[in-house]
Amino acid sequence: MEKIRDIMTDEIECCTLLDNIFEVAVKMKELNVGAIPIVDQEKLVGMITDRDIVIRGVAEKHPGSTKVEDIMSNQLITVSPETASNEAAKLMAEHQIRRLPVVEDGKLIGIVSLGDFAIRELTDDQAKEALTQISEQNYNGVQH
C-alpha cells in the first residue's frame, strides 16, 4: 500500500501569522497556487485558500492589511506521512477538500493534493471513487 510520504510534495511555501492577506495573495499569484499553509515556528496553525480570501476577506470588506489569522481556516484535517494513500483520499472526499497538509510531530512536512493522486495509478477503487466525487462536485460549482 502506497504511503502519503511517497506522493506528497515536500517543497512547500508557507506564510506566518505575521503576514497579512495581501501578502498571502501575492505569494499565491507568484507561485500560481490556491492555498498557502500558515505556520508558527514550523508548526502548522492554519491554511488560507484563495476562496478564504474572497469569502472571508473581500466579501466581508476586510482590507489587505488584515491579519491572516482573521480569515484562515484553523480547524484542519491533516495526515501523517505514514497514512495510506487510499485513506487520505477518503478523508479528502469526506471533508470535500482538495489539499491535505502532512504533519509530523505538529510540524508541516508536506502537502498532498488531488493533482498528486491524479498522476498516480491508484489501485484502490474506493480512493478513485473518492477523488471522482470531489472533482465532480467542484466541477459542478459546489465547493465546501
Side-chain angles (χ1 to χ4, degrees), residues 57-72:
V58 175
E60 293 187 11
K61 299 183 180 180
H62 289 286
S65 60
T66 301
K67 295 187 296 185
V68 293
E69 61 188 315
D70 291 345
I71 67 164
M72 72 181 188

Side-chain angles (χ1 to χ4, degrees), residues 14-71:
C14 300
C15 285
T16 72
L17 294 174
L18 300 176
D19 292 310
N20 61 42
I21 61 175
F22 174 78
E23 292 164 323
V24 173
V26 168
K27 186 169 270 196
M28 285 179 177
K29 180 181 177 185
E30 289 171 353
L31 300 170
N32 193 28
V33 297
I36 300 279
I38 308 299
V39 296
D40 185 15
Q41 299 181 7
E42 296 186 357
K43 181 179 184 224
L44 179 66
V45 294
M47 279 288 268
I48 190 164
T49 66
D50 45 9
R51 189 170 192 273
D52 292 332
I53 292 171
V54 172
I55 302 298
R56 296 181 193 155
V58 175
E60 293 187 11
K61 299 183 180 180
H62 289 286
S65 60
T66 301
K67 295 187 296 185
V68 293
E69 61 188 315
D70 291 345
I71 67 164

Side-chain angles (χ1 to χ4, degrees), residues 89 92-93 96-98 113-115 117-118 127-143:
M92 294 170 85
Q96 291 299 297
I97 53 179
R98 294 174 161 264
S113 70
L114 279 180
F117 287 104
K128 288 180 186 176
E129 179 63 25
L131 295 174
T132 301
Q133 288 174 14
I134 295 170
S135 297
E136 286 176 358
Q137 286 188 353
N138 285 315
Y139 177 76
N140 291 324
V142 178
Q143 209 170 20

